[in-house]
C-alpha cells in the first residue's frame, strides 16, 4: 500500500531511525517498551521540575513574608534536614535575602504571588480538556514536544524578567498563565503513550512504579532552582526552563508514540487470541509480518479517529472516576500546599521546627505516596479491580489522616511514620486513577480499537481532578483560621465522598468476580479458563 495513512514507519522518531541504521536491525517490542518508559519518565519529570521555581523564589521575591533567618532558601537535600526554629533580626534577613523584587515586595506581594499560583492552576486545568482532545487528534510525539518546548520558553521568559529588570505584575501573570496552558499538554500525552504500549494485565504495577517521576521531578526542580539562586532569582526559572526545553528535543528524537507505526500490534487490540501470555502473543504477531498485519487490520495511528469530548465522557466509568479524582486531588494537594505550614505551626516533640525543616519533612509525605502508588497498582492488577482498590485506599486515608493530626506531634519519629502512612493512603488512589485507570478507560472495548481516546479520557479525569486541586488549598486557607481540626474534618469528608462515588463500580466488579467463579459468560467467551481476561465493562 502507499500513502502516509498506511505507512508503518511514518511515525518513526529520527533518533531511533539513526540508531537502527547503525545497528543494522530493529529493536524488539520489549526494548521499545523500555525506551517508552524511560523517555516518558524523564519527560514528565521535566514538567514537574519546571513547576518548582515559583515555590523556591517566593521568599526572595517577597522577603517581608517571613522574618526568620532559618528560612534559608536551600531545600533538602542541599541543606540540613532538622533545624530548630530560631529568630534572627531584620538586618540579617535582609542581608541573606535582599530587598525583594517589585511588585512582590509590597504590602500585597504575598497575595500577588498567590494570584499567580491560582492563575497557573486555572489555566492548567482548563487547558487539560483541550490538550486531551488535541493529543488524540495529533501525533503524540510532536504534540508532547511542542508542549515541552513551549513550557521551557515561557518558564524561561518569566526568569528573563529579572535580567530585563521588569517590575510589571501583568508580565509575570501572563507568562505563568501561558506556561500553565503548555503544561497541560504533559499528563494526557505521557499516559496515552504508556497506554498505547502496555496492555492491562500489568499496567497498574508498571504505572505505579513509573509514577515516581513526579517526586523525582520535584526534587530535581528544587535542586536546579536552588543551585543558581545566588546568581539572581531569574536563573532559577531559566535553568529549569532550559531543562524541559532539552527534554522536549529528547522526546522528538526518541519517543515512539504508537507501536502500530513501528510495525508492532497494539496491545489493546491484538488480533491474536489463542496465546495466553500477552508478551508471547505480541512477539509472535510481530514476527508474522508487520506489513501484512497492517493491510489486514487497516489500523495504524494515522487512520484512527479521535473521540469527541462528549463521547469520551459517556465511556462507562469516566465520570465516576473523574469525580472521585476531584476529591482525591482536593485531599492530596491540600497536603502538598499546606503540610509544610502545618508542620511549622505544630510543636513536634515539644519543639517547633524551622520552615526549612517543615519543607524537608513534608517531602516524606511524597515518599509514602510513591509506595502507595506502587501498592495500589500491584493490588489492582492482582484483584483486577481498580475501583475497589482506589476506594479502599481512600477509606483507609481517613483514619490515617486523623491519627496523624492527633499523634503526629508526639515525636519526630511518630510524625514521620504517620505522615508516610497518610501519604501512602492518599496518593495511592490518586496515582492509580491518573495512570492505570485513565489508560484502561481510554482503551475501553466500546471504542472497538479504531478510535484515539487515551489522551482525551486522561484529560477529562485529571482536568476535573485539577479543579479539586485548586479548591482544596483555597478552602484550607479559610478553615485553618478556625483551627486545624476543621481542616482535617474537611479532608476526611472529601476522602469519604471520593470512595462513595465509586460504589456502583465496586458492585459491578464484585458481580464480575462472582460471575467469573461460576464460569465463562457471554461477555468473556474468549478468556482462557485458567486466567480470565479483565472485562472492560467493569469500568
Amino acid at each position: 500500500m502507499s500513502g502516509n495513512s498506511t505507512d508503518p514507519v511514518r511515525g518513526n522518531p529520527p533518533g531511533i531511525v539513526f540508531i537502527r541504521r547503525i545497528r543494522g536491525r530493529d529493536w524488539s517490542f520489549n526494548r521499545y517498551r523500555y525506551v517508552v518508559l524511560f523517555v516518558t519518565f524523564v519527560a514528565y519529570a521535566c514538567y514537574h521540575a519546571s513547576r518548582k521555581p515559583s515555590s523556591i523564589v517566593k521568599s526572595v521575591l517577597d522577603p517581608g513574608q517571613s522574618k526568620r533567618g532559618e528560612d534559608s532558601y536551600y531545600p533538602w537535600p542541599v541543606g540540613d534536614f532538622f533545624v530548630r526554629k530560631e529568630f534572627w533580626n531584620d538586618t540579617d534577613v535582609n542581608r541573606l535575602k535582599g530587598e525583594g523584587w517589585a511588585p512582590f515586595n509590597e504590602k500585597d506581594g504575598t497575595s500577588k504571588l498567590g494570584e499567580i499560583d491560582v492563575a497557573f492552576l486555572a489555566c492548567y486545568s482548563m487547558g487539560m480538556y483541550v490538550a486531551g482532545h488535541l493529543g488524540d487528534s495529533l501525533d503524540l510525539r510532536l504534540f508532547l514536544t511542542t508542549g515541552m518546548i513551549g513550557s521551557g520558553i515561557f518558564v524561561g521568559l518569566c526568569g528573563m524578567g529579572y535580567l530585563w529588570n521588569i517590575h510589571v505584575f501583568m508580565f509575570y501573570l501572563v507568562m505563568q498563565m501561558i506556561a500553565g496552558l503548555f503544561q497541560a499538554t504533559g499528563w494526557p500525552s505521557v499516559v496515552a503513550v504508556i497506554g498505547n504500549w502496555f496492555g492491562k494485565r500489568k499496567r497498574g504495577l508498571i504505572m505505579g512504579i513509573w509514577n515516581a517521576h513526579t517526586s523525582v521531578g520535584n526534587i530535581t526542580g528544587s535542586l536546579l532552582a536552588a543551585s543558581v539562586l545566588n546568581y539572581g532569582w531569574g536563573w532559577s526559572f531559566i535553568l529549569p526552563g532550559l531543562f524541559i526545553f532539552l527534554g522536549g528535543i529528547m522526546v522528538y528524537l526518541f519517543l515512539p508514540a504508537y507501536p502500530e507505526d513501528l510495525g508492532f500490534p497494539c496491545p489493546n487490540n491484538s488480533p491474536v487470541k489463542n496465546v495466553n501470555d500477552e508478551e508471547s502473543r505480541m512477539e509472535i504477531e510481530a514476527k508474522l509480518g508487520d506489513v501484512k498485519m497492517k493491510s489486514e487490520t487497516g489500523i495504524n495511528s494515522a487512520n484512527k479517529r479521535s473521540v469527541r469530548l462528549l463521547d469520551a465522557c459517556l465511556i462507562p466509568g469516566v465520570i465516576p472516576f473523574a469525580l472521585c479524582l476531584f476529591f482525591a486531588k482536593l485531599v492530596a494537594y491540600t497536603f502538598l500546599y499546606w503540610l509544610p505550614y502545618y508542620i511549622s505551626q505544630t510543636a513536634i516533640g515539644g519543639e517547633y521546627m524551622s520552615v526549612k525543616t517543615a519543607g524537608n519533612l513534608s517531602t516524606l509525605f511524597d515518599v509514602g505516596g510513591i509506595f502507595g502508588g506502587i501498592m495500589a497498582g500491584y493490588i489492582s492488577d492482582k484483584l483486577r479491580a481498580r475501583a475497589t482498590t482506589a476506594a479502599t485506599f481512600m477509606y483507609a486515608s481517613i483514619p490515617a489522616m486523623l491519627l496523624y493530626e492527633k499523634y503526629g506531634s508526639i515525636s519526630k519519629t511518630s510524625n514521620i511514620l504517620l505522615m508516610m502512612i497518610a501519604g501512602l493512603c492518599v496518593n495511592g488512589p490518586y496515582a492509580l486513577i491518573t495512570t492505570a485507570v485513565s489508560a484502561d478507560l481510554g482503551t475501553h472495548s466500546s471504542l472497538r480499537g479504531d478510535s484515539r481516546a487515551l489522551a482525551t479520557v486522561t484529560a477529562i479525569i485529571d482536568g476535573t481532578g485539577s479543579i479539586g486541586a485548586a479548591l482544596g488549598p483555597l478552602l484550607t486557607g479559610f478553615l485553618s483560621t478556625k483551627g486545624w481540626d476543621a481542616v482535617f474534618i474537611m479532608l476526611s469528608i472529601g476522602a469519604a465522598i471520593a470512595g462513595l462515588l465509586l460504589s456502583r463500580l465496586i458492585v459491578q466488579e464484585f458481580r464480575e468476580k462472582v460471575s467469573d467463579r461460576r464460569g465463562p459468560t457471554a461477555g468473556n467467551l474468549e478468556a482462557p479458563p485458567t486466567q480470565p481476561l479483565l472485562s472492560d465493562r467493569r469500568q
Side-chain angles (χ1 to χ4, degrees), residues 395-410:
Y395 290 138
S397 70
I398 297 174
M401 291 185 293
L402 296 178
L403 286 173
Y404 175 68
E405 183 200 13
K406 186 172 180 63
Y407 298 107
S409 60
I410 293 178

Side-chain angles (χ1 to χ4, degrees), residues 4-80:
N4 287 342
S5 63
T6 58
D7 182 2
V9 297
R10 179 190 63 83
N12 280 9
I16 289 181
V17 172
F18 179 73
I19 294 175
R20 181 186 295 168
R21 289 175 179 173
I22 294 177
R23 296 180 73 242
R25 56 192 175 91
D26 199 4
W27 283 336
S28 66
F29 186 84
N30 282 334
R31 179 67 60 86
Y32 277 113
R33 276 180 158 182
Y34 295 137
V35 171
V36 167
L37 282 175
F38 175 77
V39 174
T40 52
F41 185 97
V42 174
Y44 207 67
C46 289
Y47 273 97
H48 265 267
S50 66
R51 298 173 192 173
K52 289 299 293 182
S54 60
S55 64
I56 298 297
V57 305
K58 273 187 171 68
S59 59
V60 179
L61 297 175
D62 181 20
Q65 68 178 322
S66 176
K67 298 298 184 183
R68 303 182 183 93
E70 88 287 352
D71 245 345
S72 176
Y73 42 69
Y74 291 102
W76 175 81
V78 174
D80 296 331

Side-chain angles (χ1 to χ4, degrees), residues 161-335:
Y162 169 79
L163 300 180
W164 294 337
N165 199 30
I166 297 176
H167 297 275
V168 179
F169 172 68
M170 285 302 298
F171 171 81
Y172 300 102
L173 182 67
V174 171
M175 291 302 104
Q176 286 288 351
M177 290 175 68
I178 299 177
L181 291 174
F182 275 105
Q183 289 273 320
T185 62
W187 191 241
S189 299
V190 294
V191 172
V193 172
I194 291 293
N196 287 337
W197 282 91
F198 291 88
K200 294 181 180 181
R201 286 180 54 195
K202 298 180 181 180
R203 183 180 282 167
L205 175 61
I206 290 170
M207 285 190 161
I209 299 172
W210 172 77
N211 196 58
H213 51 48
T214 300
S215 298
V216 172
N218 287 339
I219 295 174
T220 302
S222 296
L223 293 175
L224 288 176
S227 66
V228 293
L229 194 54
N230 276 341
Y231 301 101
W233 64 263
W235 292 102
S236 295
F237 282 90
I238 295 173
L239 185 57
L242 179 62
F243 183 59
I244 190 173
F245 186 96
L246 295 176
I249 296 176
M250 178 197 68
V251 166
Y252 175 77
L253 292 176
F254 297 106
L255 179 64
Y258 309 97
E260 303 98 316
D261 289 340
L262 297 174
F264 293 102
C266 178
N268 301 307
N269 58 309
S270 179
V272 177
K273 302 290 185 181
N274 298 323
V275 182
N276 291 343
D277 183 72
E278 185 181 38
E279 298 275 347
S280 299
R281 181 168 64 245
M282 288 183 292
E283 293 294 340
I284 289 173
E285 284 183 308
K287 293 177 181 179
L288 287 177
D290 302 331
V291 177
K292 180 180 178 181
M293 183 192 68
K294 294 294 180 183
S295 62
E296 291 177 350
T297 62
I299 295 175
N300 65 12
S301 71
N303 58 23
K304 283 188 177 183
R305 59 182 177 83
S306 62
V307 171
R308 294 181 303 174
L309 193 64
L310 179 59
D311 292 336
C313 290
L314 295 178
I315 296 174
V318 169
I319 296 301
F321 274 114
L323 294 176
C324 174
L325 189 63
F326 176 94
F327 290 98
K329 264 198 165 185
L330 182 150
V331 176
Y333 270 68
T334 297
F335 276 95

